Amino acid sequence: MQPLPPQQVPQQPPPVNKPRPNANAVPAISYQPTDVTITPELYDKVTNLEEYKRLKDAEKKLDLLIARKSLDFQAIQQRSIHPNEYRPSTGILRIFIYNTCENQPWQKQLLQERGLPLPDPTAAEASWTLRIEGRFISDNPEEQEQINENFKFSSFLSAISVDLIPNPDYPNLQESQSRIIEWRDDGVTANKNPASVSFDGLDIKRNGIYNINAKIALLVKSYSNKFKLSEEMSRFIGKQECTQQELMYVIWQYVLSKGLLKKSSAYTGVPAVETSTLPNPANEKDAIDDDLTLVEADDVLSELLKVKTFKFLELYKLCQPHFIPREPITLEYEVNTRKSTTLGEIVLDVPVEMPINLSKAQKELLEVNKTAFENLAKADSTIQQLNQRISLAIIALHNANLREKFYSELSEDPIKFIDNWLESQSSTLKALKSDEGYDEEVVRRAKYFEENEHLLKEKIDLMLSSSRF
């Protein structure tokens, strides 16, 4: 007989080390208000609880402050999204105006003296080129490269005009249509990428060997809806440029500070009245007199607005004569044909504003809000953990207080304490048991039924009426 092969014992899989729960972690428990309230008697027993009381008072003040600041934050957030409240990027538009010359007689003579080959006289005619170019220099160096890629020189201008002044050296220029060169922004960049349709410089090339004067006008764009003010209004508000809303607000503040409202007394102490008691003017004059927005202009406003009295509905119309369209930058330039280039002789620095990019502003605001909410979430998590620890400590304090009361009353009068304790426990048992606390062994005895027959009838009637069988 062949021996039986040994039985194969199945191999057990190696034990998996499961992560143990963190014993020190604070459980996420929701506590009732009674669990975190300390009774007044504990403040007399534990002196350090005064610190907790001051902490609760400071927490109430902090909650009130947070509520107020949250309302202020919402108001600031709404204003910051508005285009009129968003401050655009500013900088300097540096403009270069110069000219270059080609194939001038003195240049050919210079090439001949140096032994260099002369240009083909049949194809190369003496000419000059007037160039107007510019570059934006941002106040924020970090945005410089990005701005240069998206915005070129023409992006900051509404129009360019160059008028070549005729002179005896150019007799045919007077009747030529090419002496006036104009460029205007037709709004094409509104629907396209500005960098694809704009330019960094404007070149004007003409044939000639003589100097010529030119009148150049540059109209800079305005993205802030500001207007230039008249000299009188500029002295009144202390600014040379402002928006229409700013001017009307300044006048309104002036009227209130001087008390120029004719019915100013009607704005204070107004009682609750019925509509039937309101005046019903019989003619237009009475209606004007009863208007609460009627202003009696003083000497300053009367000289500015050219009226003695006005209503605030008319203020917009009265301010229009003081708004002056923005004037272009004008200068006279002489094309010098005696130099190869005049680059660097005329350089203009004009302060300009970048167009408002609302999507970028909203994105930046979203990032700020996201960071703020993340910080608040971390702070709330820490506060919740601290609140759980405080709640556990208060519950432990209450339990310690109950034990202290139990043992102190027991030590003072043990007999009376035990009697009171038994009586309270029996009352509790009667409330918990359906048979009002009667002992089952006593109920089973026949003598009990004889002595409590009337009670049994009431119980049976009650059970029959309640359908408990």
Side-chain angles (χ1 to χ4, degrees):
M1 297 180 62
Q2 295 180 356
L4 296 175
Q7 296 182 355
Q8 298 292 332
V9 179
Q11 295 182 356
Q12 299 292 335
V16 179
N17 296 326
K18 297 183 178 180
R20 299 180 60 187
N22 188 4
N24 298 326
V26 180
I29 304 175
S30 176
Y31 296 97
Q32 300 294 330
T34 54
D35 297 337
V36 294
T37 303
I38 298 179
T39 56
E41 61 179 345
L42 287 176
Y43 286 99
D44 299 332
K45 296 179 180 180
V46 183
T47 57
N48 293 336
L49 289 181
E50 292 295 332
E51 299 291 337
Y52 180 75
K53 186 176 181 181
R54 285 197 291 269
L55 178 63
K56 297 292 289 184
D57 295 338
E59 185 179 5
K60 292 179 181 179
K61 296 179 180 179
L62 183 60
D63 290 340
L64 181 60
L65 179 62
I66 291 175
R68 292 177 179 175
K69 292 300 181 182
S70 62
L71 295 176
D72 295 341
F73 176 75
Q74 293 177 2
I76 294 172
Q77 185 180 19
Q78 293 297 328
R79 289 199 304 267
S80 60
I81 298 176
H82 198 276
N84 293 335
E85 298 294 336
Y86 182 74
R87 290 188 176 183
S89 301
T90 58
I92 297 295
L93 181 62
R94 182 158 295 172
I95 303 174
F96 300 88
I97 301 176
Y98 62 97
N99 70 273
T100 59
C101 296
E102 296 178 355
N103 301 324
Q104 296 292 329
W106 60 270
Q107 290 178 322
K108 295 179 181 180
Q109 183 179 0
L110 187 60
L111 292 175
Q112 187 176 5
E113 292 177 355
R114 295 180 179 178
L116 299 175
L118 297 176
D120 186 4
T122 60
E125 188 175 355
S127 62
W128 51 264
T129 302
L130 174 63
R131 182 169 178 82
I132 304 171
E133 65 180 22
R135 175 183 174 85
F136 178 77
I137 303 175
S138 176
D139 293 338
N140 187 3
E142 298 178 356
E143 300 178 352
Q144 184 67 51
E145 184 177 355
Q146 183 179 2
I147 291 175
N148 291 337
E149 293 178 357
N150 298 328
F151 296 93
K152 295 186 179 180
F153 171 59
S154 60
S155 303
F156 301 93
L157 300 178
S158 298
I160 301 175
S161 176
V162 178
D163 186 7
L164 300 177
I165 309 300
N167 58 26
D169 296 326
Y170 295 89
N172 299 327
L173 192 60
Q174 181 67 36
E175 300 178 356
S176 175
Q177 297 181 355
S178 62
R179 75 179 186 91
I180 298 178
I181 301 94
E182 292 183 348
W183 171 86
R184 295 182 182 276
D185 185 8
D186 55 0
V188 175
T189 58
N191 300 322
K192 296 183 179 180
N193 184 9
S196 62
V197 295
S198 56
F199 53 87
D200 281 329
L202 178 66
D203 291 338
I204 302 172
K205 186 175 182 180
R206 297 291 185 271
N207 296 329
I209 61 174
Y210 302 104
N211 293 356
I212 186 173
N213 294 327
K215 186 175 182 180
I216 302 173
L218 306 173
L219 183 59
V220 181
K221 280 184 180 178
S222 176
Y223 295 99
S224 58
N225 296 324
K226 291 184 179 181
F227 293 89
K228 186 178 180 181
L229 298 177
S230 63
E231 186 177 352
E232 298 84 2
M233 190 61 72
S234 299
R235 290 197 300 267
F236 176 71
I237 70 170
K239 291 183 179 180
Q240 294 183 351
E241 293 182 352
C242 74
T243 62
Q244 297 178 353
Q245 293 79 6
E246 289 176 349
L247 180 59
M248 296 181 69
Y249 180 76
V250 170
I251 296 177
W252 167 254
Q253 293 294 325
Y254 180 81
V255 169
L256 292 181
S257 63
K258 296 293 184 180
L260 301 180
L261 287 170
K262 188 174 182 180
K263 298 287 184 178
S264 59
S265 60
Y267 286 98
T268 58
V270 179
V273 296
E274 298 179 357
T275 56
S276 59
T277 60
L278 294 176
N280 186 15
N283 51 44
E284 185 178 358
K285 182 177 182 303
D286 294 336
I288 294 177
D289 293 338
D290 290 329
D291 192 348
L292 298 179
T293 64
L294 188 64
V295 178
E296 293 181 345
D298 58 359
D299 295 338
V300 177
L301 284 183
S302 179
E303 184 179 355
L304 284 173
L305 305 179
K306 310 301 180 185
V307 291
K308 294 293 184 182
T309 59
F310 64 92
K311 294 186 293 185
F312 262 91
L313 293 176
E314 305 170 348
L315 184 58
Y316 178 80
K317 182 179 179 181
L318 296 174
C319 292
Q320 293 304 310
H322 293 281
F323 291 111
I324 302 174
R326 297 173 63 91
E327 296 181 356
I329 301 173
T330 59
L331 66 142
E332 294 183 357
Y333 177 80
E334 182 181 9
V335 177
N336 189 354
T337 59
R338 299 294 183 265
K339 292 183 179 180
S340 297
T341 179
T342 59
L343 178 61
E345 294 185 0
I346 297 180
V347 181
L348 302 177
D349 284 345
V350 181
V352 293
E353 295 179 350
M354 292 292 298
I356 299 174
N357 190 347
L358 288 181
S359 60
K360 178 182 177 182
Q362 293 176 354
K363 184 178 180 181
E364 292 177 354
L365 181 63
L366 182 62
E367 292 296 331
V368 172
N369 292 343
K370 182 179 178 181
T371 304
F373 286 131
E374 289 177 354
N375 295 334
L376 287 176
K378 294 179 181 178
D380 288 341
S381 177
T382 305
I383 292 174
Q384 289 178 2
Q385 293 178 2
L386 293 176
N387 286 336
Q388 291 179 3
R389 294 174 60 184
I390 291 174
S391 301
L392 292 174
I394 292 176
I395 293 174
L397 187 63
H398 281 303
N399 295 334
N401 182 45
L402 292 176
R403 290 195 299 270
E404 189 270 340
K405 289 175 62 176
F406 179 86
Y407 290 117
S408 62
E409 293 178 1
L410 179 62
S411 62
E412 291 177 359
D413 193 350
I415 298 176
K416 183 179 179 182
F417 176 78
I418 292 175
D419 292 339
N420 294 335
W421 183 80
L422 291 176
E423 183 179 357
S424 63
Q425 294 298 316
S426 63
S427 300
T428 303
L429 290 175
K430 287 181 180 180
L432 294 176
K433 295 182 68 175
S434 61
D435 55 358
E436 298 183 359
Y438 293 107
D439 190 359
E440 294 181 359
E441 295 295 333
V442 176
V443 172
R444 290 194 184 98
R445 297 173 185 175
K447 188 177 179 180
Y448 171 80
F449 293 97
E450 295 176 358
E451 295 176 354
N452 300 282
E453 184 178 359
H454 63 287
L455 295 176
L456 292 174
K457 290 183 179 180
E458 292 179 0
K459 288 284 186 179
I460 293 172
D461 293 339
L462 181 61
M463 295 175 71
L464 289 173
S465 61
S466 60
S467 300
R468 294 185 62 181
F469 284 122

